[in-house]
Amino acid sequence: MATAASGLSEPQVLARTKDRLFADREDAYVVADTQFAQQRWLDDTPIEASVQATLAPFNHVRVGTGYPDLVGVQTLSTDLLSVDRLGDRPPLIAVEAKGYTGNSGVDAERGVVQAHDRLNEANVAFLTAPRSGISTAARTMARELNVGVLGVESDGSVSILERPRVVGHGSMDAASAIRFQASAQGVADQNFGLNHPKNYIAVPLAVHHDGDTRDLIAAHVVGAVDGALAGAAFLNLIDTGQGTLTLTPLGREVVRFALRTVGDVDDALRQFEDWQRSRRRFIDIAPQWGQLVRRVVSEYPATDLLVDGLYACHRDGYESPSLVEFVEYLHALHPEFTVELFLRGDEAVRQRVLTGDGDLRGSELTDGSVYHSPTVFQLKAILYHAGIVTDRGAEPSNLAPETDEWALCDPLA
């Protein structure tokens, strides 16, 4: 029987599987469970730095009744599935890995049972294990339970032994955090490059105008045209697909608002010149436009989570919670989303802040450098200008988490 010394460990199997399943695509986002962010594996074997770098980022995401080793969203190639994928929405994929530990073999059949459980919420589930440790019985069980089986060879290549079918989309509670990050509005990347919402709200006007969109934005709104376009797409005001800029339904509402309140798109764009380089709160200097921004920002998926969390904080007596207090409070309610929204995705940060069970190490939250800039700086500034939160936020390098206030302007009683 192969041993850990001669066979692949579970972290090694998982790293090779991630490389096989999750390519560098715009519709892909994947996290490994926080147990793989620790320095040593279950049998006290060190986890190689290269393996951890491959598996990062980490989060503790509940799918079904447990926590898969890998969970992500990705459009799978047809060779991985028994039938073509239905619909155009990338599936949620859960992966259970098994490897050699000590002098024991590979418990592949247990991995199949665990993977099958994940189909309560995931669309596709895989067992992955060293090919030499996958028995005929495990493969038969997997076929009966609609679980895919991947065999990892000693040279690192991955063979497809059993192909699963995609099942329908069920409820997406904790796993919705991963779907969100894989969507066009996720915060995995630096999508809010500008921290004033007027730079985004003007973009639909420039797209609707007969003139050159980029020239109009540069002349009337902001010189960072690419940042304005990216943020407008992020807020679902424009669609940038297939090399053209088109208005979304929400973007068309912005144009209708401008025509109704100003009367002319040219005049509306000229108004934005008066607000260039202004640090004053947007809803104060332009109340009508500020209310429009509030509506647009309220459509952004993360806003509901943040506002509901702040309302719950206020209701429970935290009237002006610090960033540390708010993150700890929100993590108790929505742990997966909190990690994705607030913590930087690199392995060093999540190793520091998260335990192997996905709990927070509170002492690490006092360091501003662990936080995700698109949330604590850019998004918070936009919420501030929209009149939703009381404080504008700060770059992680200037952030004082224990005094950085997160509170609603209108918390309600």
Side-chain angles (χ1 to χ4, degrees):
M1 180 178 292
T3 66
S6 60
L8 293 166
S9 68
E10 187 169 319
Q12 292 170 331
V13 166
L14 197 63
R16 287 158 173 78
T17 301
K18 180 182 176 181
D19 281 340
R20 174 64 178 85
L21 288 182
F22 293 91
D24 185 17
R25 294 172 55 101
E26 291 183 0
D27 66 354
Y29 185 76
V30 57
V31 295
D33 190 69
T34 48
Q35 63 182 321
F36 298 98
Q38 309 311 302
Q39 297 298 321
R40 292 182 175 274
W41 187 232
L42 302 178
D43 60 353
D44 209 34
T45 302
I47 301 177
E48 303 101 307
S50 60
V51 168
Q52 288 187 323
T54 297
L55 293 176
F58 304 100
N59 200 344
H60 198 48
V61 181
R62 187 180 181 90
V63 180
T65 64
Y67 299 86
D69 295 321
L70 204 67
V71 58
V73 170
Q74 160 81 14
T75 301
L76 292 172
S77 57
T78 55
D79 66 314
L80 286 162
L81 302 173
S82 63
V83 294
D84 289 343
R85 182 175 59 86
L86 301 178
D88 58 1
R89 191 183 187 192
L92 182 77
I93 304 160
V95 178
E96 292 293 341
K98 296 298 176 185
Y100 289 107
T101 303
N103 292 316
S104 63
V106 176
D107 196 353
E109 293 183 24
R110 180 167 178 264
V112 170
V113 173
Q114 290 173 319
H116 177 254
D117 171 78
R118 312 307 177 232
L119 288 174
N120 288 325
E121 292 185 35
N123 305 119
V124 183
F126 287 97
L127 160 74
T128 183
R131 182 163 184 170
S132 58
I134 300 173
S135 65
T136 301
R139 292 183 59 173
T140 300
M141 180 187 295
R143 282 196 299 274
E144 293 173 350
L145 296 178
N146 189 29
V147 170
V149 179
L150 303 174
V152 182
E153 309 284 359
S154 58
D155 64 1
S157 61
V158 179
S159 301
I160 305 164
L161 304 182
E162 302 294 338
R163 292 173 172 82
R165 301 181 308 279
V166 178
V167 299
H169 299 289
S171 86
M172 297 292 170
D173 296 326
S176 61
I178 307 306
R179 281 203 179 280
F180 169 69
Q181 287 290 43
S183 74
Q185 294 184 301
V187 296
D189 300 315
Q190 298 277 349
N191 288 298
F192 279 132
L194 306 171
N195 58 20
H196 201 303
K198 59 94 177 171
N199 297 318
Y200 307 131
I201 209 75
V203 169
L205 306 180
V207 171
H208 179 74
H209 197 284
D210 291 337
D212 182 83
T213 298
R214 297 182 67 90
D215 289 345
L216 289 166
I217 294 171
H220 299 291
V221 187
V222 66
V225 175
D226 288 339
L229 293 173
F234 200 42
L235 289 173
N236 197 32
L237 294 170
I238 61 171
D239 188 339
T240 60
Q242 299 181 347
T244 60
L245 300 178
T246 57
L247 295 178
T248 64
L250 188 59
R252 290 194 290 272
E253 280 302 304
V254 171
V255 176
R256 293 187 184 104
F257 170 87
L259 295 175
R260 186 172 62 252
T261 57
V262 182
D264 181 82
V265 172
D266 283 295
D267 290 340
L269 281 169
R270 279 191 285 270
Q271 283 191 343
F272 282 81
E273 295 177 25
D274 298 333
W275 302 322
Q276 289 182 354
R277 291 174 292 278
S278 172
R279 287 186 55 80
R280 292 182 59 195
R281 197 175 207 172
F282 192 51
I283 202 166
D284 293 334
I285 63 174
Q288 285 185 301
W289 285 97
Q291 288 295 336
L292 177 65
V293 167
R294 186 178 184 120
R295 179 191 167 185
V296 169
V297 174
S298 294
E299 296 281 335
Y300 176 60
T303 301
D304 274 347
L305 179 78
L306 296 173
V307 170
D308 286 349
L310 289 171
Y311 171 70
C313 267
H314 180 84
R315 184 189 59 206
D316 288 347
Y318 297 91
E319 295 186 0
S320 299
S322 69
L323 175 58
V324 173
E325 291 170 329
F326 181 47
V327 168
E328 290 179 328
Y329 186 95
L330 194 63
H331 188 266
L333 300 177
H334 306 286
E336 297 84 3
F337 254 116
T338 303
V339 169
E340 295 300 331
L341 282 176
F342 282 95
L343 298 183
R344 285 171 46 204
D346 63 86
E347 59 178 304
V349 166
R350 297 201 179 177
Q351 281 177 341
R352 285 177 55 193
V353 180
L354 299 174
T355 69
D357 293 326
D359 296 324
L360 295 174
R361 295 187 175 100
S363 61
E364 299 293 343
L365 295 176
T366 62
D367 181 357
S369 68
V370 305
Y371 291 95
H372 198 41
S373 178
T375 299
V376 300
F377 181 41
Q378 287 97 343
L379 177 57
K380 190 182 181 189
I382 291 170
L383 297 177
Y384 168 79
H385 280 292
I388 295 175
V389 299
T390 58
D391 188 66
R392 77 169 66 237
E395 286 273 21
S397 58
N398 299 320
L399 189 62
E402 292 176 287
T403 57
D404 183 61
E405 180 180 276
W406 281 74
L408 294 174
C409 293
D410 305 299
L412 304 179

